[in-house]
Amino acid sequence: MRHLTTVAGPLPVSAVRGPALAHEHLVLDLDRAGDGAAVLDAVRHRSTVTSELAALHAEFGLALVIELTCRGMGRDPRALARIAEESGVAVVAATGWYYEPFHPDGTAAASVEQLTATLVEEIDGGLDGTGVRPGVLGEIGSHGDRPGEAETRTLLAAAHAALATGLSVATHAQLGRGGLAQLELLAGTGLAPHRISLGHQDLLDDPAVHRELAAAGAYVAFDTVGKENYRSDDTRLRLLLAFLEAGHVDRALLSCDISRHGYLESAGGQGYGHLFRSFLPELRAAGVDDGLIDLMTRRNPLRFLTGADAAEI
C-alpha cells in the first residue's frame, strides 16, 4: 500500500478521498520590500488559514494540501502541523531551495553533493529539528529561460535527493518560463519525468510548451488560478482546455498558490477556495466532467507524489 509523508506522519493514499491543492503556501515570508505584504505569518494569519481550509474540507471535501514553502521562504513545520490538525486537512511539507534571490546564506558556496546531503538529512530526520518530515521536494526554483549557476546546483541536488529518497520534485518556473530547461536538467540525472511537476505553467501562454512537457511524461502545473494580476482566469481556462484537448488530462495539476495574506478571503482576496468556487465551475460549464476533475484534483496529485501509475490510483 502506498503512503504519503504528511506533517502528521504516514498517510495511506487510500485515505485521501477528496481533492487536493497541488501547490500552496500556508505559512511563508517572502518579504524583500520591507512592507510585510508577501507574508503569511504563523501568529497573525494561522487561524484564518486554518478556518479557510476547514471550510473547504466541509464544503468540498478538501483532503490534502501540498505545501511548497521551502528553505529561505520562511517555512514553519510546527505551524503546518497545527494547521493540519485543526483544519482536518492533511498537509505535505517540502524541502529544497526557491529561486536564487531567496537562497539562504551559504547556498552559493555549496557543492551539489553538499546540497544533496542537506536535503537527504532533512527528508530522513525532519525539518529544522522538529521531526516533521517533508513529503516532497519543492518548490525548487529558477528564473529566466535557463537556470542560473546556483539554481542549476539546487535543481540537481533536488533531483539527486529525490533519487535517493523516493520523493518527487515540484518546481518554481518564474512567470512560467524555463520549464523545458528545468525538465531537461532534472531528467538528465535519471529522475523519471513522472516524478517532476513543472510549476506556474498557466503563466506561460504557450500551449506547445505545455504539450511538450506532458509528452515527455512530466506533470504540468496550472497552479496560480485566481491570480488575475499575473494572468486572467479566462486565459488560464483557455490554456487548460487546450491541454486537455491535446490528450494530457493525466498530467494536469491545479492550485491557487496563495503566497501573501492579501490573497486570503478575510483580506478580500480570492482565498484557497477560488479553485473550487470559481474555476472548476467554469471548467464544468466548458464540458469537463466530474471524472476528469477528480483526476486533475485528486488522482494526479497522488500519482505525482507517489510515482503510482493510473491503474493504482
Side-chain angles (χ1 to χ4, degrees), residues 98 100 124 138 264:
Y98 195 35
E100 189 170 4
D124 290 342
L264 298 175

Side-chain angles (χ1 to χ4, degrees), residues 26-29 39-50 74-80 82-83:
L26 307 179
V27 182
L28 90 168
D29 186 349
V39 170
L40 286 165
D41 187 270
V43 175
R44 291 175 294 164
H45 308 122
R46 180 179 58 80
S47 63
T48 302
V49 169
T50 301
R75 70 183 181 189
D76 188 332
R78 288 190 178 91
L80 297 184
R82 290 189 64 185
I83 290 169

Side-chain angles (χ1 to χ4, degrees), residues 196-198 201-202 204 206-222 235-254 279 283 288 292 295-296 300:
I196 300 165
S197 167
L198 288 312
Q201 291 306 296
D202 52 337
L204 182 72
D206 193 338
V209 169
H210 300 158
R211 292 193 301 269
E212 186 172 350
L213 295 171
Y219 288 92
V220 178
F222 296 79
T235 299
R236 289 188 180 89
L237 184 65
R238 171 174 57 79
L239 292 171
L240 180 56
L241 289 172
F243 190 69
L244 304 187
E245 289 164 5
H248 297 305
V249 64
D250 62 338
R251 286 294 179 259
L253 297 174
L254 305 178
F279 195 73
L283 270 181
V288 179
L292 295 183
L295 179 58
M296 290 186 285
N300 283 354

Side-chain angles (χ1 to χ4, degrees), residues 11 15-21 56-57 60-65 88-91 298:
L11 178 70
V16 182
R17 300 180 182 274
L21 288 167
L56 295 173
H57 178 61
F60 298 101
L62 177 66
L64 177 70
V65 172
V89 177
V91 175
R298 185 183 66 87

